[in-house]
Amino acid sequence: MENEKGLLIVLSGPSGVGKGTVRKKIFDDPSTSYKYSISMTTRDKREGEVDGVDYFFKAKSEFEELIKQDQFIEYAEFVGNYYGTPVQYVKDTMDQGYDVFLEIEVEGAKQVRKKFPDALFIFLAPPSLDHLRERLVGRGTESSEKIQSRVHEARREVEMMNLYDYVVVNDEVDLAKQRIQSIVAAEHLKRERIEAKYRKMILEAKK
Ligand code: 5GP
């Protein structure tokens, strides 16, 4: 039988909630078969980050040129920088039958929802906003002005939970990882997906 198309998994949620940490936990697990779509950004590289691994770091003019060329599934401006998902990798990888995993903020997730209504949308939520602020301060990589603006952004994002299919509370990274893996496994067993597969098999058997 022809390769079944992969699932598009969107993990989203407020900045500082720990999306990156949960995502890394998921991809450190050798049983994970999803492919991670590396985003492009115009923000400065943080210490320890590697171009082409954490992000593709681009100049603003380059990013804007790619927007014009329609090279993004989605993009958003977040705290003064662009972030976007390159279209080609996602399409090719899903066509090969792999699940593709995006870790993006909510404005981008909204755009993905319009283009890929079948995608799976998971919202990673903080146990509380105070907890979130503590984490951002604790990270020590941002100025207090930037932290304020990220916390403001986070409040708005929490209100946007209703865009998502599932909410996973990030109280513990391992638990959040397991919950996400369970959601993805269940999504693959959805009646609509299985039914489509069987319909295809029946059509092929008739040939
Ligand atoms: P950071 O600067 O902390 O790496 O990321 C800031 C925010 O941008 C995070 O919420 C992160 O998930 C989000 N982000 C990363 N890549 C993308 C992307 O390709 N598109 C969108 N819309 N957001 C992204």
Side-chain angles (χ1 to χ4, degrees):
M1 198 171 67
E2 199 188 312
N3 235 352
E4 202 189 331
K5 223 176 154 192
L7 196 67
L8 186 59
I9 305 156
V10 181
L11 180 69
S12 186
S15 169
V17 74
K19 295 191 291 290
T21 313
V22 173
R23 185 246 302 167
K24 280 190 189 113
K25 257 272 164 342
I26 290 172
F27 283 91
D28 282 349
D29 180 345
S31 73
T32 297
S33 57
Y34 335 136
K35 304 283 178 191
Y36 177 61
S37 160
I38 301 165
S39 296
M40 268 183 205
T41 185
T42 59
R43 82 144 161 74
D44 291 337
K45 212 193 296 178
R46 291 193 192 120
E47 215 183 302
E49 285 184 331
V50 177
D51 190 21
V53 174
D54 299 284
Y55 284 105
F56 295 108
F57 295 95
K58 299 281 172 195
K60 199 171 175 197
S61 58
E62 259 180 293
F63 200 104
E64 286 173 343
E65 188 52 41
L66 293 169
I67 295 172
K68 274 193 211 144
Q69 293 171 11
D70 215 10
Q71 294 286 328
F72 294 105
I73 285 180
E74 61 73 34
Y75 71 92
E77 230 179 313
F78 180 84
V79 199
N81 285 301
Y82 283 124
Y83 294 82
T85 305
V87 66
Q88 204 58 49
Y89 176 82
V90 172
K91 290 222 159 128
D92 291 350
T93 312
M94 281 170 67
D95 283 347
Q96 286 164 25
Y98 292 107
D99 292 344
V100 175
F101 192 99
L102 309 184
E103 183 223 303
I104 61 179
E105 50 70 74
V106 277
E107 285 305 319
K110 255 201 231 171
Q111 297 167 40
V112 180
R113 181 126 226 173
K114 280 199 193 124
K115 288 191 187 163
F116 295 83
D118 287 349
L120 172 61
F121 292 84
I122 304 172
F123 190 89
L124 192 67
S128 75
L129 280 181
D130 284 347
H131 175 97
L132 178 67
R133 188 194 301 263
E134 268 166 38
R135 280 214 35 188
L136 283 171
V137 174
R139 188 157 75 183
T141 53
E142 254 75 36
S143 65
S144 68
E145 199 182 287
K146 284 239 162 170
I147 287 169
Q148 269 314 319
S149 118
R150 276 172 184 260
V151 169
H152 176 79
E153 190 80 6
R155 271 208 188 106
R156 203 176 54 82
E157 290 190 21
V158 169
E159 283 158 19
M160 293 173 97
M161 260 185 209
N162 64 352
L163 274 174
Y164 295 80
D165 302 311
Y166 294 90
V167 176
V168 168
V169 174
N170 188 20
D171 44 3
E172 227 186 276
V173 180
D174 272 318
L175 285 177
K177 165 188 170 270
Q178 282 166 30
R179 289 171 190 139
I180 291 166
Q181 287 173 327
S182 307
I183 291 167
V184 174
E187 186 69 17
H188 274 285
L189 303 178
K190 267 239 173 106
R191 197 251 312 141
E192 297 94 295
R193 284 183 206 280
I194 306 275
E195 195 177 279
K197 206 160 84 180
Y198 275 85
R199 280 188 195 287
K200 220 164 140 196
M201 277 196 279
I202 289 165
L203 272 180
E204 271 161 24
K206 275 189 185 160
K207 277 180 196 163

